[in-house]
Amino acid sequence: MPDKPQTLYLIDGHALLYRSYHAIRPGSMLAADRKTPTNAVFGFAMEIRKLRTRFKPDYVAAVFDPHGTVKREERYNEFAAKLGAAFSGYKSHRDAMPDDLRPQIDIAFEVCAGYGIPSFQIEGYEADDVLGTLAMLACKQGLKTVIVTGDKDLMQLVCDKIQIYDPLKDIFFDEDTVLSIKGVKPSQVVDWLGFQGDAVDNIPGVAGVGGQTAIKLLQEHGSMDAALDFYRKKFGEKEREILEFVAAHEAEALKESKEERKAIKPPKGIKVVEAYLFAQGERARACRELARLDTAIPLTFDLNAMRLNPPEVERLAPLLKRLDFKTFMRDLDQDHLAAFESRAAAEAAQNPGSGPAAPETKCELVDDAEKLQAFLAEFKKQPRFAISVETTSVSPRASEIVGVAFCWKDAEAYYLPIRGPMGCATLDEKEVLRALRPQLEDANVQKIGHDIKHETQVFRNHGIELRGVTFDTLIAGWLLEPAALRLTIDELALQHLGLRDTQAANVAVKKSKPGEEDMLAADELGRQASLTADYAFRLAENLAPKIREAGLEPLLRDIEIPLIGVLADMEWLGIRVDADFLRSMSGKLEKQLAQQEAEIYEIAGEKFNINSPKQLGPILEKVGLKLTAVTATGQVSTSEEVLQELAEQHPLPQKILDYRAAIKLKGTYVDALPQMILPATGRIHALFHQTGAETGRLSSSDPNLQNIPIRGELGRTIRAAFKPGFDGWKLLSADYSQIELRILAHYCQDKQLIDAFDKGIDIHTAVAATLNNVAEKDVTHEQRSRAKAVNFGILYGQTAFGLAKVLHIGRRDAQGIIDAYFERHPGVRQCINEIIAVARDQGFVTTVLGRRRFIPQLRASDRGARMLGERLAVNTVFQGSAADLIKKAMIDIHRALDEGKFNSKLLLQIHDELLFEVPPDEVEALRKLVKSKMEGALKLNVPLVVEVGVGEDWLTAK
């Protein structure tokens, strides 16, 4: 058996930096000096790390574009002089490099050097040409080469020894993948580019020929030369007439309007595109040559210098510290790193004053009765303080307090140790909590914290209700940067206060044995807790004006801060789950899965591991299905999306999908939920996260209740296991009806949509009636289904391609439906265009309550990224506004339940639904209250409608 060929990974440096720059919001990450942007180089380093650890290449190198002009520009100018104004400046349409990306280029070179990766930058030659040359030289030495890029131009290099890896799509492109996804063979890519041109490089191509037309030409004729020769021969006798027509109408052919293009009248018997193909053959060939890579440029190919070696600690560690990339420090040899840091510390001690010292937090250890009395004397005077609690567990209900830190003055904090290792002075827990209770429960004393919901529940576990919460630095930091990768207290302190090299964090100190606690000494733990309290106090002062400046103060004050208490109550109460019901369901699923396995084996004609993509691929091919998509590891993909497409051709893929769904639900919920029941309460206590989504939607974990399927019978059945916590009680479900579509109508002011909602007409039926020009009573089920798909597709920016897949129709028919929708609802199109325009102009969109989401993709050079940005902008306005609405309703209902002395409690929030447990004598009162508060949460231009159900469990209540 021949040896497996060694692999060389070639990184397209500039392409990767640009993608990272637009993926991670500009300005969101700065180096330790607080001046140098690092968002692009962070993404670049992450990709290098992934390549090293996930793919483990034998060799690796990075290639960057040169500083000055390149030889392809000279060729471009030659063609421009020869062929005219269509060639109007090589890459002249490309935006200038952003100012905050420019300094990151040199840092990327440093990152490569630190990881021992050689960087190529050849003056006069673009990175594409260098990549092509290196790949060809590697082929000659018998290596398998993978080029890491998203640039379609490089697909012309793909062959049996060269692949392209697109890190954004996580796809490897070999010869078959290029053909299946792009529609052309790698050998045809330069012809394809020559026909359609390249807007980014300002290569014109043939007038009026787009990507799909170019593909069709190559599929029919095989090559550019064959296609051009065909049209020259076919219409040769009309040459003069065609040339005159092209000279007169070339500019019009490039216009985007279909109406304008249709108005062009070509010579009789000739299509417009055919005329341009006839007349612009020389231009097409020139464009092809500009797109063709130069794979024979002069450079030194030192394979040994590209060998993948461990990172160079001496070189990389200082760089990572300067960039504040703590995540990457684990890549380094820890022994070498420790030795390096020891030497660096010794050098720093010999050279004091070499840089500004971070302000140190003074931690006052309150560990005896005398100190406690002195502390309490000052504590009781404070109208405002920050708090941080250290516990024995990350679970508030299962935790004991180790110590509490307070801060009410910059850089000064107090730590009260309650538990500690043997020999450590501690305070009496009951005495401390009794002394602290009045201030903690006083709503007029303002409390500050970082993720203060944790402190709220810890104190509740010890009989204290924390009131007066006015600021949470986690939530404030998230509102300002909803896409931030890290929102820890030390990251926020570094970003907003310039404080670094801390260990600030809420540390859970876990018991190792009964009666023994493996915990830090009080002074060390106290320092960490004090840093958290101090930083939270200082951050509140720093972030508050930024919140006001961004227009986010009402959202923070009136929605997000009050919601902390609502979620704390929901988490504390939990919800009862019937373990016996789920165990019975698990047994039934075992039998169902066995039956599904048998059916799959019968269709496949043999037994195999259904859960193994490696074994499933050949089985699918055996039954006549062609698999073309490839995973990141180069294997044939059998993903859900792939199987859904194949399910239209053969019954086996659908059987596999059904089997996978049952397996997932059984493992994730049916078998897992009983294990999550807390014995002390008989309930599961899911966590709800305010900062989990950029749209403002809540997320949940342990378990993730948001992901229980609602459409499938199996997913719905799981809901039957969720029940009220008391005998005779009921569950009440309240769900907003078509809330995002109502918000769309509110924003766009489309008369037909508003009228339909005002009259209580089913919106999908109303839209179907207008799309099909029929009365509402005559709308068929199929027409309503299509209208429903369009209605929700509009909210999520669905393209004709996506709608065609949903409705199982042709793309042209899908586009016709979308066009008809916008023609009959012009307000919707105008609204969407305005949202995108504002987002492009200001860099972010806002929801109905002023929540912001930044959309950097709208300014990307890549068209696909810009289209994604448009979808995100539109979806965020509607989905984010729906999130604002239900949060407001939760707060109003929670307050009303308290004021009305109800025994009913809010248990869960799942998307647009709220779930309550209610005693039988409160059912009608709660129904009226919930419906009133939810429908009146915000004043919109259309009525809000809430559907309420009551039942013995979640399934029947729904």
Side-chain angles (χ1 to χ4, degrees):
M1 185 175 179
D3 292 337
K4 182 182 178 181
Q6 292 189 308
T7 56
L8 165 65
Y9 273 64
L10 296 173
I11 300 168
D12 188 348
H14 269 82
L16 198 55
L17 280 166
Y18 263 96
R19 276 195 171 186
S20 300
Y21 174 82
H22 291 295
I24 304 172
R25 198 179 73 79
S28 63
M29 298 184 65
L30 296 175
D33 60 13
R34 310 309 301 149
K35 297 177 182 178
T36 307
T38 60
N39 60 317
V41 78
F42 179 82
F44 180 83
M46 286 292 286
E47 197 57 49
I48 284 180
R49 186 182 188 207
K50 182 176 80 171
L51 296 177
R52 290 174 56 86
T53 59
R54 181 177 173 187
F55 302 132
K56 298 180 175 60
D58 300 289
Y59 306 93
V60 64
V63 179
F64 294 85
D65 284 324
H67 296 295
T69 59
V70 294
K71 294 187 179 297
R72 188 173 281 108
E73 187 172 351
E74 296 174 6
R75 275 194 285 166
Y76 187 99
N77 293 335
E78 290 174 9
F79 289 130
K82 182 179 179 182
L83 297 172
F87 295 82
S88 57
Y90 186 54
K91 296 189 177 182
S92 61
H93 291 174
R94 182 173 291 187
D95 294 335
M97 181 181 293
D99 291 338
D100 52 349
L101 174 58
R102 196 176 304 279
Q104 299 188 63
I105 303 296
D106 290 338
I107 300 176
F109 279 94
E110 292 184 70
V111 169
C112 288
Y115 279 104
I117 297 172
S119 299
F120 289 82
Q121 188 177 45
I122 312 297
E123 293 304 320
Y125 293 96
E126 292 181 278
D128 291 1
D129 296 322
V130 180
L131 289 164
T133 299
L134 290 171
M136 290 302 177
L137 291 171
C139 281
K140 292 179 181 179
Q141 296 201 23
L143 274 73
K144 174 186 175 182
T145 302
V146 177
I147 303 174
V148 182
T149 185
D151 190 342
K152 63 181 181 299
D153 296 11
L154 286 155
M155 289 184 181
Q156 62 188 273
L157 299 172
V158 171
C159 60
D160 60 335
K161 291 184 177 179
I162 300 175
Q163 292 184 0
I164 301 294
Y165 172 62
D166 186 332
L168 181 65
K169 299 176 180 176
D170 200 17
I171 292 177
F172 280 85
F173 287 86
D174 58 13
E175 292 175 283
D176 290 338
T177 313
V178 173
L179 178 60
S180 65
I181 294 180
K182 296 299 179 182
V184 293
K185 301 174 184 176
S187 60
Q188 296 173 313
V189 167
V190 285
D191 287 355
W192 175 53
L193 294 169
F195 271 135
Q196 71 170 357
D198 189 331
V200 175
D201 290 347
N202 203 23
I203 298 175
V206 175
V209 174
Q212 291 303 312
T213 301
I215 290 171
K216 187 176 180 181
L217 286 167
L218 293 171
Q219 288 175 343
E220 290 179 357
H221 301 282
S223 70
M224 172 184 284
D225 291 327
L228 295 175
D229 289 347
F230 172 81
Y231 288 109
R232 292 295 298 179
K233 292 176 182 177
K234 183 175 181 180
F235 302 117
E237 72 280 1
K238 297 184 178 182
E239 179 172 4
R240 180 176 177 180
E241 189 178 359
I242 293 174
L243 294 178
E244 288 176 352
F245 163 77
V246 169
H249 296 286
E250 179 178 355
E252 292 172 285
L254 299 177
K255 292 181 179 178
E256 293 187 4
S257 168
K258 288 183 178 180
E259 289 70 22
E260 289 177 301
R261 289 204 303 270
K262 287 178 180 178
I264 303 172
K265 299 300 181 184
K268 188 174 181 180
I270 301 177
K271 297 178 182 178
V272 173
V273 170
E274 292 175 335
Y276 293 118
L277 286 166
F278 179 92
Q280 295 179 349
E282 190 174 0
R283 185 164 110 181
R285 291 185 174 97
C287 294
R288 176 177 62 184
E289 292 313 304
L290 288 172
R292 192 187 303 277
L293 299 181
D294 183 349
T295 59
I297 65 176
L299 54 77
T300 301
F301 186 76
D302 184 356
L303 186 60
N304 192 53
M306 303 180 202
R307 185 174 295 280
L308 183 67
N309 291 310
E312 300 179 19
V313 173
E314 298 283 344
R315 200 167 191 173
L316 191 56
L319 174 64
L320 296 178
K321 283 181 175 291
R322 173 160 60 88
L323 298 177
D324 201 47
F325 286 178
K326 298 173 185 170
T327 305
F328 299 95
M329 296 299 280
R330 70 186 68 169
D331 296 340
L332 307 181
D333 181 284
Q334 296 304 301
D335 291 335
H336 289 172
L337 178 60
F340 167 78
E341 290 183 333
S342 178
R343 289 194 303 273
E347 291 173 6
Q350 294 174 4
N351 298 284
S354 57
E360 267 195 44
T361 301
K362 178 186 175 184
C363 173
E364 185 74 29
L365 193 61
V366 182
D367 58 357
D368 61 34
E370 184 178 346
K371 292 178 183 177
L372 177 62
Q373 292 308 312
F375 162 79
L376 291 173
E378 291 298 314
F379 177 64
K380 292 174 182 178
K381 300 175 186 177
Q382 305 308 317
R384 185 169 180 262
F385 56 78
I387 186 170
S388 174
V389 180
E390 300 296 342
T391 61
T392 57
S393 170
V394 294
S395 171
R397 269 191 168 275
S399 69
E400 295 175 338
I401 296 176
V402 176
V404 188
F406 296 94
C407 175
W408 52 78
K409 185 178 180 181
D410 286 1
E412 292 185 13
Y414 299 84
Y415 179 68
L416 284 61
I418 291 174
R419 286 178 174 78
M422 188 172 293
C424 178
T426 59
L427 301 172
D428 180 76
E429 180 178 60
K430 290 183 179 179
E431 181 183 349
V432 169
L433 294 180
R434 184 168 54 249
L436 295 177
R437 180 190 298 273
Q439 288 287 89
L440 294 177
E441 294 191 337
D442 189 341
N444 294 316
V445 177
Q446 299 179 19
K447 318 301 191 302
I448 299 164
H450 185 81
D451 192 13
I452 203 168
K453 178 157 62 74
H454 174 265
E455 274 72 15
T456 301
Q457 299 208 63
V458 169
F459 281 122
R460 178 174 291 176
N461 199 34
H462 290 76
I464 294 175
E465 290 297 323
L466 187 66
R467 300 186 180 96
V469 172
T470 58
F471 205 91
D472 189 312
T473 54
L474 171 68
I475 294 172
W478 168 67
L479 287 178
L480 289 169
E481 298 281 353
L485 297 175
R486 297 167 291 183
L487 287 166
T488 59
I489 187 73
D490 52 324
E491 292 297 337
L492 291 176
L494 175 62
Q495 179 179 350
H496 295 281
L497 303 175
L499 303 178
R500 65 188 305 269
D501 288 334
T502 74
Q503 299 177 9
N506 279 346
V507 180
V509 186
K510 299 184 178 181
K511 291 184 177 180
S512 54
K513 297 179 182 178
E516 295 183 14
E517 286 160 3
D518 179 18
M519 59 179 63
L520 300 173
D523 57 348
E524 187 176 350
L525 191 59
R527 176 182 176 274
Q528 295 185 29
S530 296
L531 281 171
T532 300
D534 174 33
Y535 286 1
F537 186 78
R538 287 197 249 183
L539 278 167
E541 296 292 324
N542 181 279
L543 296 177
K546 295 177 181 178
I547 289 285
R548 283 194 296 273
E549 184 180 346
L552 294 166
E553 187 175 33
L555 181 65
L556 177 65
R557 180 191 62 232
D558 301 332
I559 301 296
E560 298 299 346
I561 294 299
L563 191 65
I564 293 171
V566 178
L567 298 181
D569 284 356
M570 288 165 56
E571 292 179 4
W572 182 262
L573 180 61
I575 185 170
R576 181 189 159 210
V577 173
D578 189 334
D580 291 337
F581 176 90
L582 290 173
R583 279 190 281 269
S584 173
M585 186 176 179
S586 180
K588 293 175 182 176
L589 273 174
E590 286 283 358
K591 296 178 181 178
Q592 177 184 319
L593 287 167
Q595 183 179 345
Q596 287 177 302
E597 284 183 2
E599 292 173 356
I600 289 170
Y601 295 152
E602 183 177 356
I603 296 173
E606 63 178 279
K607 288 189 175 183
F608 64 99
N609 184 350
I610 301 173
N611 297 312
S612 167
K614 191 173 182 179
Q615 293 188 32
L616 176 58
I619 292 292
L620 292 172
E621 291 176 340
K622 173 188 170 183
V623 299
L625 296 171
K626 187 175 182 181
L627 300 175
T628 55
V630 181
T631 68
T633 57
Q635 293 184 354
V636 171
S637 174
T638 58
S639 67
E640 181 176 346
E641 184 179 6
V642 170
L643 292 179
Q644 284 175 344
E645 292 183 2
L646 295 175
E648 300 176 15
Q649 307 172 34
H650 195 279
L652 181 58
Q654 187 59 54
K655 292 287 186 182
I656 299 292
L657 286 170
D658 294 341
Y659 178 83
R660 285 183 180 178
I663 283 280
K664 182 177 179 180
L665 285 174
K666 184 176 184 295
T668 306
Y669 296 106
V670 178
D671 292 340
L673 286 176
Q675 308 303 316
M676 296 182 180
I677 296 173
L678 189 66
T681 65
R683 300 176 180 235
I684 62 169
H685 298 264
L687 302 178
F688 292 89
H689 309 287
Q690 287 169 262
T691 61
E694 290 182 62
T695 58
R697 271 192 162 190
L698 294 175
S699 61
S700 66
S701 63
D702 303 315
N704 182 358
L705 300 172
Q706 314 280 349
N707 281 355
I708 298 179
I710 195 168
R711 288 192 178 90
E713 181 182 350
L714 187 55
R716 288 196 300 271
T717 303
I718 291 174
R719 282 170 161 75
F722 291 80
K723 298 184 177 181
F726 304 98
D727 292 341
W729 283 40
K730 306 290 184 182
L731 290 185
L732 183 146
S733 168
D735 198 352
Y736 277 115
S737 172
Q738 301 169 341
I739 184 58
E740 291 174 15
L741 291 173
R742 292 174 190 272
I743 292 172
L744 168 65
H746 167 78
Y747 269 94
C748 73
Q749 292 292 290
D750 183 84
K751 187 177 184 305
Q752 291 187 56
L753 292 182
I754 291 175
D755 286 347
F757 282 125
D758 283 343
K759 295 174 182 177
I761 300 170
D762 176 74
I763 193 63
H764 304 313
T765 300
V767 170
T770 61
L771 286 177
N772 295 280
N773 293 314
V774 298
E776 289 165 9
K777 63 181 180 63
D778 296 326
V779 169
T780 66
H781 176 74
E782 182 182 0
Q783 289 171 337
R784 184 185 181 278
S785 296
R786 290 192 173 193
K788 183 177 181 180
V790 174
N791 278 331
F792 287 110
I794 295 299
L795 292 173
Y796 304 122
Q798 195 172 54
T799 62
F801 177 76
L803 183 63
K805 290 181 67 175
V806 171
L807 297 180
H808 304 291
I809 59 176
R811 194 181 306 182
R812 182 173 296 179
D813 291 337
Q815 186 62 57
I817 293 174
I818 292 174
D819 291 343
Y821 179 94
F822 283 127
E823 183 179 340
R824 289 163 173 77
H825 301 282
V828 176
R829 182 189 288 278
Q830 182 180 350
C831 174
I832 288 173
N833 289 341
E834 287 176 357
I835 289 171
I836 294 170
V838 170
R840 187 176 287 115
D841 179 59
Q842 66 185 16
F844 60 87
V845 292
T846 55
T847 65
V848 67
L849 292 184
R851 187 184 308 279
R852 302 193 310 180
R853 181 181 186 177
F854 296 92
I855 314 288
Q857 296 89 345
L858 285 173
R859 297 176 180 176
S861 57
D862 178 69
R863 181 172 177 271
R866 290 197 302 274
M867 291 180 66
L868 171 62
E870 292 178 0
R871 294 194 294 273
L872 291 175
V874 174
N875 177 241
T876 297
V877 171
F878 303 128
Q879 192 176 96
S881 294
D884 290 349
L885 176 68
I886 200 164
K887 285 181 175 180
K888 175 68 164 52
M890 292 170 70
I891 294 164
D892 292 346
I893 293 169
H894 187 265
R895 186 176 295 126
L897 291 177
D898 282 346
E899 293 172 352
K901 307 295 184 184
F902 277 76
N903 290 312
S904 301
K905 300 295 181 184
L906 174 60
L907 301 178
L908 303 179
Q909 186 271 353
I910 309 295
H911 303 309
D912 303 324
E913 177 188 6
L914 300 180
L915 189 68
F916 303 81
E917 65 178 12
V918 50
D921 60 332
E922 291 182 3
V923 169
E924 289 309 312
L926 183 66
R927 185 196 300 269
K928 292 177 182 177
L929 183 148
V930 168
K931 189 173 177 65
S932 171
K933 294 297 182 183
M934 289 181 72
E935 293 181 346
L938 292 175
K939 181 65 177 175
L940 301 183
N941 295 323
V942 294
L944 295 175
V945 174
V946 172
E947 298 171 348
V948 179
V950 178
E952 305 292 334
D953 52 55
W954 191 6
L955 178 64
T956 55
K958 183 69 176 172

